[in-house]
Protein backbone atom coordinates (compact mmCIF):
# COMPACT_ATOMS: atom_id res chain seq x y z
CA UNK A 1 0.00 0.00 0.00
CA UNK A 2 1.25 3.47 -0.88
CA UNK A 3 1.79 5.43 2.33
CA UNK A 4 1.66 9.20 1.96
CA UNK A 5 2.82 11.73 4.53
CA UNK A 6 1.38 15.10 3.72
CA UNK A 7 2.11 17.72 6.38
CA UNK A 8 -0.30 20.48 7.20
CA UNK A 9 2.34 23.09 6.36
CA UNK A 10 5.65 23.08 4.55
CA UNK A 11 7.59 26.35 4.43
CA UNK A 12 8.23 27.43 0.85
CA UNK A 13 11.62 28.86 -0.09
CA UNK A 14 12.16 30.70 -3.33
CA UNK A 15 15.80 29.58 -3.75
CA UNK A 16 17.25 33.08 -3.37
CA UNK A 17 17.23 33.22 0.44
CA UNK A 18 20.79 31.92 0.93
CA UNK A 19 22.12 34.16 -1.83
CA UNK A 20 20.74 37.26 -0.13
CA UNK A 21 21.95 36.03 3.26
CA UNK A 22 25.45 35.65 1.79
CA UNK A 23 25.19 39.24 0.52
CA UNK A 24 24.20 40.43 4.00
CA UNK A 25 27.17 38.50 5.36
CA UNK A 26 29.50 40.12 2.83
CA UNK A 27 28.07 43.58 3.54
CA UNK A 28 29.14 43.18 7.16
CA UNK A 29 26.02 44.84 8.62
CA UNK A 30 24.22 42.22 10.71
CA UNK A 31 22.17 44.20 13.20
CA UNK A 32 18.76 45.74 12.49
CA UNK A 33 17.79 48.27 9.86
CA UNK A 34 20.40 47.26 7.28
CA UNK A 35 20.10 47.29 3.50
CA UNK A 36 17.74 44.32 3.27
CA UNK A 37 15.58 45.53 6.14
CA UNK A 38 15.23 48.87 4.36
CA UNK A 39 14.26 47.10 1.13
CA UNK A 40 11.61 45.08 2.98
CA UNK A 41 10.18 48.16 4.71
CA UNK A 42 10.11 50.14 1.45
CA UNK A 43 8.32 47.21 -0.24
CA UNK A 44 5.71 47.10 2.51
CA UNK A 45 5.20 50.86 2.42
CA UNK A 46 4.78 50.78 -1.34
CA UNK A 47 2.56 47.67 -1.54
CA UNK A 48 0.38 48.41 1.46
CA UNK A 49 0.51 52.18 1.33
CA UNK A 50 1.36 52.59 5.01
CA UNK A 51 3.05 55.75 6.18
CA UNK A 52 5.76 53.68 7.84
CA UNK A 53 6.60 49.97 7.99
CA UNK A 54 8.99 48.67 10.65
CA UNK A 55 10.14 45.05 10.76
CA UNK A 56 9.78 43.09 13.99
CA UNK A 57 10.71 39.61 15.18
CA UNK A 58 7.08 38.48 15.05
CA UNK A 59 3.52 39.67 14.68
CA UNK A 60 3.30 39.24 18.44
CA UNK A 61 6.09 41.82 18.84
CA UNK A 62 4.34 44.15 16.37
CA UNK A 63 1.12 43.93 18.38
CA UNK A 64 2.99 44.57 21.63
CA UNK A 65 4.62 47.57 20.06
CA UNK A 66 1.29 48.84 18.78
CA UNK A 67 -0.14 48.52 22.30
CA UNK A 68 2.74 50.61 23.65
CA UNK A 69 2.31 53.25 20.96
CA UNK A 70 -1.43 53.38 21.48
CA UNK A 71 -0.72 54.28 25.11
CA UNK A 72 -2.80 51.34 26.34
CA UNK A 73 -2.54 51.13 30.12
CA UNK A 74 -3.99 49.47 33.21
CA UNK A 75 -7.76 49.79 33.35
CA UNK A 76 -8.21 50.23 29.57
CA UNK A 77 -10.37 47.86 27.55
CA UNK A 78 -9.63 46.62 24.06
CA UNK A 79 -12.35 45.05 21.90
CA UNK A 80 -11.42 42.03 19.78
CA UNK A 81 -12.74 38.65 18.64
CA UNK A 82 -12.33 35.65 20.91
CA UNK A 83 -11.75 33.49 17.85
CA UNK A 84 -8.10 34.51 17.36
CA UNK A 85 -4.53 33.70 18.32
CA UNK A 86 -3.43 34.38 21.90
CA UNK A 87 -1.07 37.22 20.89
CA UNK A 88 -3.98 39.43 19.80
CA UNK A 89 -5.09 39.65 23.43
CA UNK A 90 -1.82 39.06 25.24
CA UNK A 91 -0.15 42.15 23.72
CA UNK A 92 -2.73 44.34 25.47
CA UNK A 93 -2.88 42.31 28.69
CA UNK A 94 0.86 42.94 29.01
CA UNK A 95 0.05 46.65 29.30
CA UNK A 96 -2.58 45.97 31.98
CA UNK A 97 -5.62 46.22 29.71
CA UNK A 98 -8.70 43.97 29.67
CA UNK A 99 -9.55 42.24 26.41
CA UNK A 100 -13.28 42.43 25.73
CA UNK A 101 -14.31 39.61 23.43
CA UNK A 102 -17.20 39.87 21.00
CA UNK A 103 -18.62 37.21 18.73
CA UNK A 104 -17.68 36.63 15.09
CA UNK A 105 -19.81 36.75 11.95
CA UNK A 106 -21.02 33.34 10.80
CA UNK A 107 -19.91 33.95 7.18
CA UNK A 108 -16.30 35.24 7.30
CA UNK A 109 -15.60 34.26 10.94
CA UNK A 110 -14.32 37.82 11.41
CA UNK A 111 -15.36 40.05 14.31
CA UNK A 112 -19.07 40.88 14.04
CA UNK A 113 -18.98 44.63 13.54
CA UNK A 114 -22.62 44.93 14.59
CA UNK A 115 -21.69 43.68 18.08
CA UNK A 116 -18.83 46.10 18.70
CA UNK A 117 -20.74 49.20 19.71
CA UNK A 118 -22.61 47.51 22.55
CA UNK A 119 -19.26 46.39 24.03
CA UNK A 120 -17.88 49.95 24.22
CA UNK A 121 -17.54 51.49 27.69
CA UNK A 122 -15.86 54.65 28.99
CA UNK A 123 -12.69 52.54 29.39
CA UNK A 124 -12.51 51.32 25.79
CA UNK A 125 -9.30 52.41 24.10
CA UNK A 126 -9.04 50.40 20.90
CA UNK A 127 -10.62 47.86 18.57
CA UNK A 128 -8.49 45.04 17.17
CA UNK A 129 -10.08 43.44 14.10
CA UNK A 130 -8.43 40.18 12.98
CA UNK A 131 -8.58 39.42 9.24
CA UNK A 132 -9.19 35.69 9.56
CA UNK A 133 -7.81 33.55 6.72
CA UNK A 134 -6.72 36.71 4.88
CA UNK A 135 -10.32 37.85 4.36
CA UNK A 136 -10.94 41.47 5.34
CA UNK A 137 -13.17 42.49 8.24
CA UNK A 138 -15.97 45.02 7.63
CA UNK A 139 -13.48 47.86 7.98
CA UNK A 140 -15.74 50.73 6.88
CA UNK A 141 -18.17 49.99 9.69
CA UNK A 142 -15.35 49.43 12.20
CA UNK A 143 -13.55 52.68 11.30
CA UNK A 144 -16.86 54.54 11.54
CA UNK A 145 -17.50 53.19 15.06
CA UNK A 146 -13.92 54.08 16.04
CA UNK A 147 -14.29 57.63 14.72
CA UNK A 148 -17.58 58.20 16.53
CA UNK A 149 -16.23 56.89 19.84
CA UNK A 150 -12.70 58.27 19.48
CA UNK A 151 -11.05 54.84 19.54
CA UNK A 152 -7.94 53.50 17.88
CA UNK A 153 -8.07 50.63 15.40
CA UNK A 154 -5.14 48.22 15.32
CA UNK A 155 -5.55 45.63 12.55
CA UNK A 156 -4.26 42.17 13.34
CA UNK A 157 -3.30 41.43 9.73
CA UNK A 158 -1.09 38.47 10.69
CA UNK A 159 -2.71 36.45 7.88
CA UNK A 160 -3.57 39.34 5.59
CA UNK A 161 -0.63 40.21 3.36
CA UNK A 162 -1.59 41.22 -0.22
CA UNK A 163 -5.33 40.78 0.46
CA UNK A 164 -7.66 43.76 0.07
CA UNK A 165 -10.94 45.17 1.37
CA UNK A 166 -12.77 47.45 -1.11
CA UNK A 167 -9.52 47.74 -3.04
CA UNK A 168 -7.51 48.81 0.03
CA UNK A 169 -4.73 46.50 1.26
CA UNK A 170 -5.35 44.88 4.64
CA UNK A 171 -3.08 46.61 7.10
CA UNK A 172 -3.55 50.03 5.48
CA UNK A 173 -6.92 50.93 6.99
CA UNK A 174 -6.59 51.08 10.79
CA UNK A 175 -4.36 53.54 12.66
CA UNK A 176 -1.79 50.73 12.94
CA UNK A 177 -1.51 47.12 11.82
CA UNK A 178 0.58 44.03 12.52
CA UNK A 179 1.77 41.44 9.98
CA UNK A 180 3.28 37.99 10.52
CA UNK A 181 6.05 36.29 8.55
CA UNK A 182 5.95 33.12 10.67
CA UNK A 183 6.69 30.03 8.62
CA UNK A 184 3.00 29.11 8.44
CA UNK A 185 2.15 32.38 6.69
CA UNK A 186 2.20 33.21 2.95
CA UNK A 187 5.42 35.26 3.02
CA UNK A 188 7.88 34.00 5.60
CA UNK A 189 11.15 34.47 7.43
CA UNK A 190 10.78 31.66 9.99
CA UNK A 191 9.72 34.00 12.75
CA UNK A 192 9.09 37.59 11.74
CA UNK A 193 6.59 40.39 11.46
CA UNK A 194 6.06 44.06 10.79
CA UNK A 195 4.32 46.99 12.39
CA UNK A 196 2.52 49.22 9.91
CA UNK A 197 1.79 52.80 10.88
CA UNK A 198 -0.95 54.55 8.95
CA UNK A 199 -1.68 57.46 11.28
CA UNK A 200 1.24 59.93 10.89
CA UNK A 201 0.83 60.90 14.54
CA UNK A 202 2.51 57.61 15.60
CA UNK A 203 5.48 57.59 13.23
CA UNK A 204 8.10 59.34 15.35
CA UNK A 205 7.33 57.38 18.53
CA UNK A 206 7.19 54.15 16.56
CA UNK A 207 10.87 54.47 15.75
CA UNK A 208 11.72 55.26 19.36
CA UNK A 209 9.79 52.30 20.75
CA UNK A 210 11.53 50.11 18.17
CA UNK A 211 15.05 51.36 18.78
CA UNK A 212 15.41 50.33 22.42
CA UNK A 213 13.70 53.43 23.87
CA UNK A 214 16.10 55.81 22.12
CA UNK A 215 15.98 58.39 19.34
CA UNK A 216 18.79 56.57 17.54
CA UNK A 217 16.97 56.67 14.17
CA UNK A 218 16.80 60.47 14.37
CA UNK A 219 20.50 60.54 15.30
CA UNK A 220 21.43 58.47 12.23
CA UNK A 221 19.45 60.85 10.03
CA UNK A 222 21.33 63.81 11.57
CA UNK A 223 18.17 65.24 13.16
CA UNK A 224 19.66 65.23 16.68
CA UNK A 225 23.33 65.44 17.69
CA UNK A 226 23.27 62.56 20.18
CA UNK A 227 20.89 59.77 20.98
CA UNK A 228 19.51 59.09 24.40
CA UNK A 229 16.77 57.41 26.43
CA UNK A 230 13.56 59.26 25.58
CA UNK A 231 10.64 56.87 26.05
CA UNK A 232 9.34 53.45 27.04
CA UNK A 233 10.01 50.66 24.55
CA UNK A 234 11.93 47.47 23.90
CA UNK A 235 14.18 45.84 21.32
CA UNK A 236 11.99 44.89 18.41
CA UNK A 237 14.38 44.93 15.46
CA UNK A 238 15.19 41.71 13.65
CA UNK A 239 18.77 41.34 12.41
CA UNK A 240 19.84 41.65 8.78
CA UNK A 241 20.10 37.87 8.16
CA UNK A 242 16.37 37.53 8.77
CA UNK A 243 15.62 40.55 6.59
CA UNK A 244 17.75 39.11 3.76
CA UNK A 245 15.69 35.91 3.90
CA UNK A 246 12.47 37.92 3.93
CA UNK A 247 13.52 39.99 0.93
CA UNK A 248 13.80 36.83 -1.20
CA UNK A 249 10.20 36.09 -0.30
CA UNK A 250 8.90 39.60 -0.90
CA UNK A 251 10.38 39.62 -4.38
CA UNK A 252 8.17 36.62 -5.19
CA UNK A 253 5.14 37.61 -3.16
CA UNK A 254 2.80 37.86 -6.15
CA UNK A 255 3.89 34.53 -7.64
CA UNK A 256 3.54 32.83 -4.23
CA UNK A 257 0.06 34.29 -3.75
CA UNK A 258 -1.00 33.22 -7.25
CA UNK A 259 0.03 29.61 -6.63
CA UNK A 260 -1.76 29.58 -3.28
CA UNK A 261 -4.90 30.99 -4.90
CA UNK A 262 -4.81 28.21 -7.51
CA UNK A 263 -4.61 25.54 -4.78
CA UNK A 264 -7.41 27.25 -2.86
CA UNK A 265 -9.62 27.45 -5.96
CA UNK A 266 -9.12 23.73 -6.69
CA UNK A 267 -10.18 22.80 -3.15
CA UNK A 268 -13.13 25.16 -3.39
CA UNK A 269 -14.36 23.70 -6.64
CA UNK A 270 -14.11 20.10 -5.41
CA UNK A 271 -16.06 20.71 -2.21
CA UNK A 272 -18.93 22.54 -3.94
CA UNK A 273 -21.07 19.44 -4.42
CA UNK A 274 -20.69 18.38 -0.76
CA UNK A 275 -21.76 21.87 0.27
CA UNK A 276 -24.86 21.52 -1.93
CA UNK A 277 -25.66 18.28 -0.08
CA UNK A 278 -25.22 20.23 3.21
CA UNK A 279 -22.39 17.95 4.35
CA UNK A 280 -20.10 20.91 4.98
CA UNK A 281 -19.72 24.63 4.49
CA UNK A 282 -16.96 26.19 2.38
CA UNK A 283 -15.28 29.57 3.11
CA UNK A 284 -17.31 32.64 2.12
CA UNK A 285 -15.48 35.58 0.53
CA UNK A 286 -17.58 38.78 0.50
CA UNK A 287 -17.65 40.69 -2.79
CA UNK A 288 -15.70 43.60 -1.35
CA UNK A 289 -12.80 41.34 -0.31
CA UNK A 290 -9.94 39.91 -2.35
CA UNK A 291 -8.34 37.21 -0.22
CA UNK A 292 -4.82 35.81 -0.36
CA UNK A 293 -5.50 32.07 0.02
CA UNK A 294 -3.84 32.04 3.41
CA UNK A 295 -5.97 29.11 4.47
CA UNK A 296 -8.46 26.60 3.12
CA UNK A 297 -10.92 25.46 5.74
CA UNK A 298 -14.15 23.52 5.91
CA UNK A 299 -16.92 23.80 8.48
CA UNK A 300 -18.29 20.35 9.28
CA UNK A 301 -21.68 19.82 10.93
CA UNK A 302 -20.38 18.95 14.43
CA UNK A 303 -17.36 18.46 16.68
CA UNK A 304 -17.80 14.67 16.45
CA UNK A 305 -17.81 14.70 12.65
CA UNK A 306 -14.79 17.00 12.59
CA UNK A 307 -12.83 14.74 14.95
CA UNK A 308 -13.69 11.72 12.80
CA UNK A 309 -12.67 13.65 9.64
CA UNK A 310 -9.27 14.64 11.08
CA UNK A 311 -8.65 11.10 12.40
CA UNK A 312 -9.59 9.47 9.12
CA UNK A 313 -7.28 11.77 7.13
CA UNK A 314 -4.46 11.22 9.62
CA UNK A 315 -4.82 7.44 9.16
CA UNK A 316 -4.13 8.11 5.47
CA UNK A 317 -1.03 10.20 6.32
CA UNK A 318 -2.71 13.57 5.65
CA UNK A 319 -2.48 16.19 8.37
CA UNK A 320 -5.50 18.45 8.71
CA UNK A 321 -5.87 20.56 11.86
CA UNK A 322 -8.44 22.49 13.83
CA UNK A 323 -7.78 26.10 14.76
CA UNK A 324 -8.32 28.51 17.63
CA UNK A 325 -9.64 27.54 21.03
CA UNK A 326 -11.76 30.62 21.94
CA UNK A 327 -9.86 33.04 24.17
CA UNK A 328 -12.90 33.91 26.30
CA UNK A 329 -13.07 30.31 27.54
CA UNK A 330 -9.29 29.78 27.89
CA UNK A 331 -8.10 29.73 31.54
CA UNK A 332 -6.11 32.98 31.23
CA UNK A 333 -8.76 34.58 29.02
CA UNK A 334 -11.35 34.00 31.74
CA UNK A 335 -9.11 35.64 34.33
CA UNK A 336 -7.87 38.59 32.28
CA UNK A 337 -10.74 39.29 29.88
CA UNK A 338 -14.48 39.22 29.52
CA UNK A 339 -16.93 38.14 26.86
CA UNK A 340 -19.54 40.66 25.80
CA UNK A 341 -22.76 38.95 24.78
CA UNK A 342 -23.46 35.68 23.08
CA UNK A 343 -20.42 33.84 21.69
CA UNK A 344 -22.20 31.06 19.84
CA UNK A 345 -20.61 31.68 16.41
CA UNK A 346 -17.17 31.63 18.05
CA UNK A 347 -17.85 28.35 19.85
CA UNK A 348 -19.37 26.81 16.75
CA UNK A 349 -16.42 27.76 14.46
CA UNK A 350 -13.95 26.53 17.04
CA UNK A 351 -15.68 23.12 17.22
CA UNK A 352 -16.47 22.62 13.54
CA UNK A 353 -13.62 24.17 11.55
CA UNK A 354 -10.86 22.10 9.99
CA UNK A 355 -7.91 23.47 8.00
CA UNK A 356 -6.57 21.47 5.08
CA UNK A 357 -2.92 21.41 3.99
CA UNK A 358 -2.05 24.41 1.81
CA UNK A 359 1.56 24.96 0.79
CA UNK A 360 3.53 25.43 -2.39
CA UNK A 361 4.48 21.99 -3.66
CA UNK A 362 1.16 20.48 -2.61
CA UNK A 363 0.08 20.64 -6.25
CA UNK A 364 1.41 17.12 -6.94
CA UNK A 365 -0.51 15.66 -3.96
CA UNK A 366 -3.67 17.70 -4.26
CA UNK A 367 -5.73 15.06 -6.03
CA UNK A 368 -4.89 12.56 -3.28
CA UNK A 369 -5.71 15.03 -0.50
CA UNK A 370 -9.03 15.98 -2.07
CA UNK A 371 -10.01 12.36 -2.75
CA UNK A 372 -9.23 11.35 0.85
CA UNK A 373 -10.96 14.44 2.25
CA UNK A 374 -14.10 13.81 0.21
CA UNK A 375 -14.07 10.16 1.36
CA UNK A 376 -13.75 11.32 5.00
CA UNK A 377 -16.89 13.51 4.93
CA UNK A 378 -19.90 11.64 6.31
C1 LIG B 1 -4.39 36.27 14.07
C2 LIG B 1 -2.98 36.11 14.53
N1 LIG B 1 -2.39 37.09 15.24
C3 LIG B 1 -1.13 36.99 15.68
C4 LIG B 1 -0.38 35.87 15.42
C5 LIG B 1 1.03 35.79 15.96
O1 LIG B 1 1.96 35.81 14.92
P1 LIG B 1 3.51 35.53 15.21
O2 LIG B 1 3.68 34.06 15.27
O3 LIG B 1 4.22 36.13 14.01
O4 LIG B 1 3.86 36.23 16.45
C6 LIG B 1 -0.93 34.82 14.71
C7 LIG B 1 -0.14 33.60 14.45
O5 LIG B 1 -0.54 32.64 13.88
C8 LIG B 1 -2.27 34.93 14.23
O6 LIG B 1 -2.86 33.95 13.55
Amino acid sequence: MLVVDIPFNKPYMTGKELWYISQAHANGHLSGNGLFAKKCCAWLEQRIGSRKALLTNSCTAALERAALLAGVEAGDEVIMPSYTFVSTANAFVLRGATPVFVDIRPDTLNIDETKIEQAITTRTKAIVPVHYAGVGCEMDAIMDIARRHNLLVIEDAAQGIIATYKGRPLGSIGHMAALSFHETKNIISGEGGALLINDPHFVERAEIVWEKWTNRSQFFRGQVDKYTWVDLGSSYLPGEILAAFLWAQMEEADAITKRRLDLWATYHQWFASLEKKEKLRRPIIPRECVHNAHMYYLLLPSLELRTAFIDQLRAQGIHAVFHYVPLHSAPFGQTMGRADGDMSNTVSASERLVRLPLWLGLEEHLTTVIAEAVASVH
Side-chain angles (χ1 to χ4, degrees):
M1 195 182 102
L2 188 66
V3 179
V4 293
D5 186 15
I6 298 174
F8 168 69
N9 180 58
K10 199 167 175 182
Y12 172 72
M13 284 167 254
T14 67
K16 280 209 184 154
E17 286 82 359
L18 289 177
W19 165 237
Y20 287 145
I21 286 173
S22 74
Q23 284 187 18
H25 180 271
N27 290 344
H29 175 128
L30 298 177
S31 60
N33 215 8
L35 206 72
F36 283 105
K38 288 195 170 92
K39 275 174 182 283
C40 292
C41 291
W43 185 91
L44 287 169
E45 285 161 14
Q46 193 257 322
R47 285 301 296 258
I48 297 180
S50 293
R51 191 60 75 110
K52 188 97 196 155
L54 298 163
L55 295 186
T56 52
N57 289 305
S58 62
C59 180
T60 302
L63 288 164
E64 287 176 13
R65 216 164 132 190
L68 260 169
L69 280 172
V72 171
E73 54 194 21
D76 288 344
E77 292 180 351
V78 179
I79 297 174
M80 62 186 66
S82 164
Y83 190 67
T84 183
F85 192 68
V86 186
S87 307
T88 316
N90 197 70
F92 298 93
V93 173
L94 272 174
R95 306 250 56 80
T98 302
V100 176
F101 303 114
V102 301
D103 206 6
I104 50 173
R105 296 166 55 116
D107 54 359
T108 56
L109 314 184
N110 281 331
I111 190 166
D112 186 339
E113 69 283 356
T114 65
K115 306 250 172 81
I116 292 176
E117 212 149 6
Q118 67 204 35
I120 294 174
T121 70
T122 51
R123 295 171 161 231
T124 309
K125 185 85 172 222
I127 306 169
V128 186
V130 178
H131 305 300
Y132 187 64
V135 179
C137 297
E138 253 318 311
M139 290 306 292
D140 276 355
I142 293 170
M143 294 309 290
D144 181 55
I145 294 169
R147 230 178 337 263
R148 284 189 285 105
H149 292 271
N150 199 21
L151 305 175
L152 290 170
V153 175
I154 298 163
E155 293 174 71
D156 183 337
Q159 306 170 8
I161 196 148
I162 302 201
T164 59
Y165 165 82
K166 296 192 179 171
R168 285 172 282 160
L170 302 187
S172 71
I173 307 168
H175 300 87
M176 290 181 258
L179 297 174
S180 174
F181 305 121
H182 182 265
E183 73 166 31
T184 50
K185 302 300 185 292
N186 292 19
I187 308 299
I188 63 170
S189 54
E191 301 284 348
L195 174 66
L196 303 172
I197 312 278
N198 301 318
D199 181 338
H201 165 246
F202 292 110
V203 168
E204 192 175 305
R205 265 198 80 216
E207 284 182 342
I208 289 167
V209 166
W210 190 52
E211 283 271 35
K212 306 176 183 94
W213 318 273
T214 72
N215 52 354
R216 189 158 57 172
S217 295
Q218 291 171 345
F219 171 71
F220 286 135
R221 284 197 296 264
Q223 292 167 333
V224 290
D225 58 7
K226 55 183 177 310
Y227 76 82
T228 183
W229 182 11
V230 292
D231 206 338
L232 194 66
S234 192
S235 172
Y236 290 117
L237 297 83
E240 186 67 349
I241 300 293
L242 201 95
F245 188 108
L246 184 58
W247 178 243
Q249 297 264 321
M250 284 183 171
E251 273 193 331
E252 294 212 11
D254 290 315
I256 291 171
T257 308
K258 159 103 188 43
R259 280 181 68 186
R260 293 185 74 95
L261 284 165
D262 287 347
L263 288 161
W264 194 101
T266 309
Y267 271 138
H268 206 56
Q269 187 188 340
W270 277 94
F271 290 115
S273 59
L274 286 171
E275 187 176 60
K276 273 207 188 89
K277 290 181 197 151
E278 298 186 359
K279 297 279 187 191
L280 52 81
R281 210 211 78 190
R282 300 180 301 160
I284 294 171
I285 314 293
R287 275 154 64 115
E288 62 267 30
C289 294
V290 176
H291 73 108
N292 59 4
H294 172 60
M295 182 193 307
Y296 196 83
Y297 67 77
L298 298 171
L299 285 163
L300 296 174
S302 66
L303 174 62
E304 293 70 32
L305 286 168
R306 185 191 64 182
T307 306
F309 178 85
I310 292 175
D311 289 349
Q312 197 169 327
L313 278 184
R314 184 152 303 153
Q316 302 304 320
I318 297 166
H319 299 270
V321 296
F322 57 84
H323 210 183
Y324 306 128
V325 175
L327 298 184
H328 76 277
S329 54
F332 207 60
Q334 284 181 0
T335 317
M336 304 308 292
R338 73 178 158 82
D340 190 272
D342 172 51
M343 302 298 273
S344 52
N345 293 330
T346 299
V347 173
S348 168
S350 169
E351 290 181 348
R352 294 165 48 226
L353 184 139
V354 56
R355 303 164 74 192
L356 297 178
L358 206 172
W359 37 269
L360 300 203
L362 183 68
E363 288 89 341
E364 59 178 298
H365 308 287
L366 196 56
T367 322
T368 313
V369 175
I370 290 171
E372 294 296 348
V374 168
S376 305
V377 172
H378 299 290

